[in-house]
Amino acid sequence: MKINKLPSGLFAVLLASLTFTAQPVQAVKPNLKYEEITLPQPGETQSTAAKRVTARLTQSHYSKFTLDQAFLEKVFTRYLNFLDYNHNTFLQSDVDQLRAQAANGLQQSLYSGELGLAYTAYELMTKRRYERYAYLLSLLDKEPDLSADDQIEIDRSKMTTWPSDSAELDKLWLQRFKNDVITERLKGTKWSDIKKKLTKRYNLAILRLNQTRADDISQLFLNAFAREIDPHTSYLSPRNAKSFTEDMNLSLEGIGATLQSEDDETTIKSLVPGAPAERSKKLAAGDKIVGVGQGAKGEIEDVVGWRLDDVVDKIKGKKGTTVRLEIEPAKGGKTKIISLVRDQVRIEDNAAKLEVNQVDGKTIGVIKIPSFYIGLSDDVRKLLDQAKEKNTQALIIDLRENGGGALTEAVALSGLFISDGPVVQVRDAYNRIRIHQDPDSAQVYQGPLLVMINRYSASASEIFAAAIQDYQRGIILGQQTFGKGTVQQSRPLNFVYDMDQSPLGFIQYTIQKFYRINGGSTQIKGVEPDITFPAIIDAEKSGESSEDNALPWDKVPAANYTVMPSQQAAISYLTPLHQKRMTEEREFIVLERNLQIQKAWADRKFLSLNLKQRQQENREDEQRRLKDLNERFKAEGKKPLKNIDDLPKDYEAPDFYIREAEKVAADYVTFLNGRH
């Protein structure tokens, strides 16, 4: 395939004595020609997956949607937006041409598993993306002028049209180029180093265009179909389905290292305590993995420039087998070869954890639950025993940032804090209502209970928080939750009789909506806290209510349950004490000021491309951050920083939200003691 040839570059005119001698500036060109990019074509596996996804969703999804032309047009628009999120790659003529093709037979294509149009659109996106990065490389011939009053639009994702011609695209990408340069200049990087870094970055982006798999394309297209039905229905390719299963079970077989991609290299982000990588004492966060070999002997395969998931697959393997890693140490020096024996790794970072602190003379326990993984309720049961041994007087269940997980675990966890009764109601597509009951009559923890939530607490987190609130078993602290009141089911696309069929992946689709035991849904509305904490994000721009196709809020009859003694008196006692601290404590005063600044930034539609203006904004921001940090350090008895760059890279700000929640819990203990 050919593309239009780019301009050869700018020419510099040099003065030599009294004559002018023109010498060409060496143009920066892509390391990879477009003709060398090979995109995969859909095979039988992708075709079969498409047919089965279509059959499953049209027959079994909670929403009885019709696969008509109007719906299919929305599916294809969503796919185009997936391919070109910021509307800065395709031309409007490209989009018009692709939509015209989609209007003829997209419905039949889904039923028959014909993914040709999806691949055609992806191929065109690749071509346009290549042209854009080649254009960026051509701009590196000369340092850009950053003194004009130019600006870049921050978010173009809501645009309904695309650029009309290449000149309009060039303008958008010139703005991006200037912003890339400004970002580096704000770090103090000189132009020669910026040029090297951006040359490498743009060439790497082109290289990754050549690393696309057939599953990548089919997954993207089938997810456009799935996500058009509702925000939580999705298709997982075989590789992603495997990762999803490992995350839910919190275990895998490997070396126990969290990896991340930085430019074209794989870097160790963290080590799992007790896992082979950590036990070896030969690896550290920041080390780069540049080669991987299998077994005790043999070739070490160079993995620089590889996709991160490919590197991960090379490193993971069966328990007891050996993997060798070629490492570039973070502290510098020569590369070294590390041999590790793979083992079963439990991802403890995502497991529930207990922390016990003394607060105002009270012993307060906090159980942090990052997700509702399989086995959570058993883990928490053990933590409750530990909390009892430490004479905990009140307990906080921290569900902030917990996006949910297994419904069965949400029910079982709720059952640890009530004696018996319903926990959640579930209605299916046929309006049948099932009530999930506490699985046993044992109330493992009977003491004072508080639950902490925020906007990113969703799904199973909302089931638990709503049940605790409806029973008046505890007090809910924080912000309004996400508002995800739907239940998804994951099913493999392979059938039992698929003897020779390759793995097809999973389909995760909505089969039910869940409802509080009081009859109301958490869909859209979420769970409102009894005591409110400042929100660090705009609820209108996040959560279920921000989705364009979220299922609506509704309600069902209330279940039969017995409310515990009212918490209203306690809430009335605790709220003014909490609000008083909000107005007096330095961290919350600073937070409130910073929230106003963040809101002003969030409302901005454009970003200046004037270097001096950006430097001034950057200085003001750094001065504000430095002032806030030094006020904190002074309160903690630490030495102040002279410069924001002196802040250690591993510095973690104190979690003053949970510290305030502990103070509310201590006040709660005081209230209960006084009442009795």
Side-chain angles (χ1 to χ4, degrees):
M1 292 168 284
K2 295 182 179 180
I3 58 173
N4 293 329
K5 190 176 181 181
L6 294 168
S8 59
L10 301 174
F11 290 86
V13 179
L14 303 177
L15 181 64
S17 299
L18 297 178
T19 62
F20 290 92
T21 303
Q23 294 184 353
V25 172
Q26 198 65 259
V28 180
K29 295 183 179 180
N31 291 339
L32 188 72
K33 295 179 180 179
Y34 179 67
E35 291 79 6
E36 296 173 323
I37 295 177
T38 303
L39 288 179
Q41 294 301 310
E44 182 180 344
T45 298
Q46 290 74 38
S47 176
T48 303
K51 287 186 285 188
R52 293 188 184 180
V53 165
T54 304
R56 176 74 70 171
L57 293 182
T58 53
Q59 296 169 12
S60 305
H61 195 278
Y62 180 87
S63 298
K64 298 301 182 184
F65 65 96
T66 302
L67 202 61
D68 56 17
Q69 188 59 34
F71 178 82
L72 290 168
E73 288 176 2
K74 292 179 181 179
V75 169
F76 198 68
T77 295
R78 191 172 293 270
Y79 181 55
L80 292 173
N81 287 328
F82 280 178
L83 293 176
D84 188 6
Y85 179 77
N86 275 317
H87 290 212
N88 64 0
T89 300
F90 284 130
L91 295 170
Q92 185 63 51
S93 57
D94 295 333
V95 172
D96 293 342
Q97 180 181 356
L98 291 170
R99 280 185 170 149
Q101 294 179 48
N104 300 316
L106 185 58
Q107 180 186 56
Q108 187 56 38
S109 295
L110 283 169
Y111 280 118
S112 65
E114 171 55 52
L115 296 173
L117 179 58
Y119 280 67
T120 296
Y122 195 96
E123 181 178 337
L124 182 55
M125 180 275 294
T126 301
K127 181 176 187 291
R128 294 287 183 247
R129 186 69 63 175
Y130 181 93
E131 293 170 351
R132 292 298 97 213
Y133 283 116
Y135 174 67
L136 288 179
L137 286 167
S138 75
L139 295 174
L140 287 165
D141 288 339
K142 181 180 178 181
E143 184 173 2
D145 177 13
L146 303 176
S147 62
D149 292 329
D150 197 6
Q151 56 186 4
I152 184 172
E153 192 169 6
I154 297 172
D155 181 10
R156 290 175 46 85
S157 63
K158 300 297 188 292
M159 300 284 289
T160 57
T161 60
W162 274 262
S164 59
D165 55 30
S166 295
E168 190 175 347
L169 278 177
D170 285 350
K171 181 179 179 181
L172 293 174
W173 284 74
L174 175 59
Q175 291 168 354
R176 172 186 165 160
F177 171 65
K178 288 183 175 181
N179 191 57
D180 287 346
V181 175
I182 286 177
T183 300
E184 293 303 319
R185 287 290 301 272
L186 292 176
K187 300 175 186 177
T189 312
K190 59 184 180 181
W191 168 245
S192 58
D193 292 331
I194 293 174
K195 182 174 180 178
K196 290 178 184 177
K197 184 170 185 176
L198 294 184
T199 299
K200 181 180 179 181
R201 179 187 299 173
Y202 300 153
N203 268 310
L204 178 60
I206 288 174
L207 177 64
R208 285 179 175 154
L209 294 175
N210 204 31
Q211 296 179 344
T212 304
R213 294 193 183 86
D215 278 350
D216 298 332
I217 303 173
S218 57
Q219 178 175 262
L220 199 65
F221 178 68
L222 292 176
N223 266 322
F225 172 27
R227 294 292 173 87
E228 187 56 41
I229 307 170
D230 84 293
H232 308 291
T233 293
S234 60
Y235 164 68
L236 302 176
S237 69
R239 175 175 289 192
N240 288 338
K242 181 181 179 183
S243 297
F244 175 78
T245 302
E246 289 171 348
D247 287 343
M248 287 302 294
N249 290 305
L250 284 189
S251 67
L252 52 85
E253 290 182 347
I255 65 169
T258 302
L259 308 180
Q260 63 185 7
S261 181
E262 294 182 353
D263 288 334
D264 58 346
E265 296 174 318
T266 301
T267 303
I268 296 176
K269 182 179 180 182
S270 62
L271 302 176
V272 177
E278 192 270 340
R279 290 199 308 264
S280 74
K281 306 302 180 185
K282 297 177 181 178
L283 294 170
D287 288 350
K288 295 177 180 178
I289 300 174
V290 296
V292 180
Q294 306 300 325
K297 297 180 180 180
E299 180 186 356
I300 296 288
E301 196 167 5
D302 190 320
V303 296
V304 175
W306 281 30
R307 290 165 48 130
L308 180 62
D309 50 6
D310 285 339
V311 178
V312 170
D313 279 352
K314 282 285 182 182
I315 295 173
K316 289 195 300 187
K318 291 185 178 180
K319 177 180 178 180
T321 59
T322 299
V323 62
R324 286 174 298 127
L325 307 178
E326 183 177 0
I327 300 296
E328 285 186 2
K331 60 185 179 181
K334 295 181 179 181
T335 63
K336 56 183 179 179
I337 306 295
I338 304 296
S339 291
L340 298 171
V341 177
R342 299 179 177 103
D343 199 354
Q344 190 75 24
V345 179
R346 184 165 173 80
I347 311 173
E348 298 294 347
D349 284 349
N350 290 330
K353 291 182 177 63
L354 170 68
E355 179 183 329
V356 177
N357 293 313
Q358 291 296 315
V359 183
D360 298 334
K362 313 294 192 306
T363 305
I364 307 299
V366 178
I367 295 180
K368 173 66 176 176
I369 301 177
S371 69
F372 282 77
Y373 56 88
I374 304 301
L376 167 66
S377 54
D378 290 337
D379 285 353
V380 172
R381 186 185 295 269
K382 295 172 185 175
L383 295 178
L384 291 175
D385 290 339
Q386 295 175 23
K388 184 177 181 180
E389 292 173 0
K390 296 181 180 181
N391 299 313
T392 300
Q393 294 172 271
L395 182 69
I396 301 169
I397 301 295
D398 185 358
L399 298 179
R400 291 174 299 162
E401 320 298 324
N402 185 324
L407 173 63
T408 52
E409 290 295 341
V411 174
L413 183 70
S414 302
L416 300 178
F417 301 96
I418 62 175
S419 57
D420 54 29
V423 172
V424 64
Q425 304 185 85
V426 178
R427 182 171 69 181
D428 66 17
Y430 303 99
N431 291 321
R432 297 174 299 195
I433 297 175
R434 177 187 175 189
I435 299 177
H436 291 262
Q437 302 275 347
D438 177 3
D440 59 48
S441 59
Q443 187 176 356
V444 178
Y445 177 77
Q446 301 177 7
L449 178 66
L450 303 95
V451 179
M452 198 164 190
I453 55 176
N454 67 6
R455 189 59 170 170
Y456 292 125
S457 303
S459 193
S461 292
E462 295 172 290
I463 292 175
F464 176 82
I468 296 301
Q469 189 174 59
D470 288 347
Y471 273 108
Q472 299 197 41
R473 171 63 184 88
I475 296 173
I476 312 300
L477 311 175
Q479 299 109 30
Q480 179 190 29
T481 58
F482 191 90
K484 179 181 178 293
T486 56
V487 183
Q488 282 70 45
Q489 173 177 266
S490 293
R491 287 288 182 268
L493 292 177
N494 289 78
F495 299 148
V496 292
Y497 52 76
D498 286 335
M499 303 302 292
D500 300 319
Q501 176 64 58
S502 301
L504 298 171
F506 277 29
I507 183 72
Q508 182 169 288
Y509 57 101
T510 301
I511 57 168
Q512 299 164 327
K513 289 177 72 174
F514 63 73
Y515 298 82
R516 302 171 68 135
I517 54 177
N518 70 8
S521 174
T522 58
Q523 177 68 6
I524 305 291
K525 293 186 177 182
V527 176
E528 294 282 355
D530 299 313
I531 298 176
T532 303
F533 281 53
I536 60 175
I537 59 171
D538 187 347
E540 295 301 317
K541 295 181 179 180
S542 63
E544 192 80 0
S545 59
S546 67
E547 298 287 351
D548 61 359
N549 60 342
L551 299 185
W553 180 90
D554 58 358
K555 61 182 180 179
V556 297
N560 184 19
Y561 66 102
T562 302
V563 177
M564 298 182 185
S566 174
Q567 297 281 358
Q568 193 52 54
I571 293 169
S572 297
Y573 172 81
L574 297 172
T575 299
L577 296 175
H578 164 68
Q579 291 175 339
K580 187 171 186 292
R581 284 192 293 268
M582 292 293 95
T583 60
E584 295 177 348
E585 293 196 4
R586 179 187 54 79
E587 292 287 4
F588 283 99
I589 295 172
V590 171
L591 174 66
E592 183 60 34
R593 183 181 73 235
N594 289 343
L595 288 176
Q596 296 303 317
I597 295 172
Q598 289 175 22
K599 187 177 187 306
W601 272 91
D603 290 340
R604 292 175 65 172
K605 296 184 182 301
F606 295 92
L607 192 63
S608 172
L609 293 175
N610 181 289
L611 178 59
K612 288 185 177 180
Q613 183 175 336
R614 290 280 291 277
Q615 287 173 330
Q616 178 62 25
E617 291 174 351
N618 197 54
R619 279 193 296 271
E620 292 173 356
D621 182 60
E622 287 187 351
Q623 289 169 2
R624 177 178 56 81
R625 289 174 57 211
L626 184 63
K627 180 176 179 290
D628 293 345
L629 282 168
N630 281 335
E631 286 180 359
R632 177 184 296 159
F633 287 172
K634 181 179 179 180
E636 295 173 347
K638 297 178 180 178
K639 291 178 62 176
L641 301 173
K642 293 182 180 180
N643 190 292
I644 196 70
D645 294 332
D646 297 334
L647 184 70
K649 291 183 179 180
D650 60 351
Y651 173 76
E652 291 187 15
D655 186 350
F656 47 91
Y657 275 83
I658 201 65
R659 300 288 83 87
E660 169 58 20
E662 290 175 333
K663 291 177 182 178
V664 174
D667 290 341
Y668 190 21
V669 174
T670 299
F671 169 80
L672 294 173
N673 290 340
R675 188 179 66 183
H676 295 297

